[in-house]
Amino acid sequence: MKTFVYLIFTCFISTGAFMGALYSKTPFLLYAVGFGIWALFLSGVNRRMKKNAERRNMERNFQDYMRYKVRKPNR
């Protein structure tokens, strides 16, 4: 859900920057803003995907450890 909200904000900001670049005398700064906001969005998505994959891997390792752990019998 948070990624969707970031996507919407990214679209609005980049659309505004690109539309502003159409009528600007020096559009390079606005192009940089438009493409820069997309770069920030994609790097944030990539970071969250890596973090979630690492969390899933750690949970899977913990479940495997608990499944194969030798347990002491009750006395």
Side-chain angles (χ1 to χ4, degrees), residues 10-71:
T10 300
C11 288
F12 282 135
I13 292 170
S14 66
T15 301
F18 290 140
M19 288 176 126
L22 289 174
Y23 302 107
S24 178
K25 291 181 181 179
T26 56
F28 298 114
L29 179 64
L30 293 172
Y31 282 132
V33 169
F35 288 119
I37 195 73
W38 278 104
L40 288 173
F41 173 73
L42 292 176
S43 69
V45 167
N46 189 27
R47 189 174 354 123
R48 283 191 297 278
M49 287 175 55
K50 283 182 181 179
K51 184 192 265 186
N52 288 339
E54 184 179 337
R55 184 178 298 132
R56 282 191 305 269
N57 189 21
M58 288 180 66
E59 288 175 359
R60 186 172 41 247
N61 288 340
F62 178 73
Q63 288 174 357
D64 288 343
Y65 170 75
M66 292 304 289
R67 187 177 301 124
Y68 295 115
K69 181 179 173 186
V70 176
R71 297 174 188 239

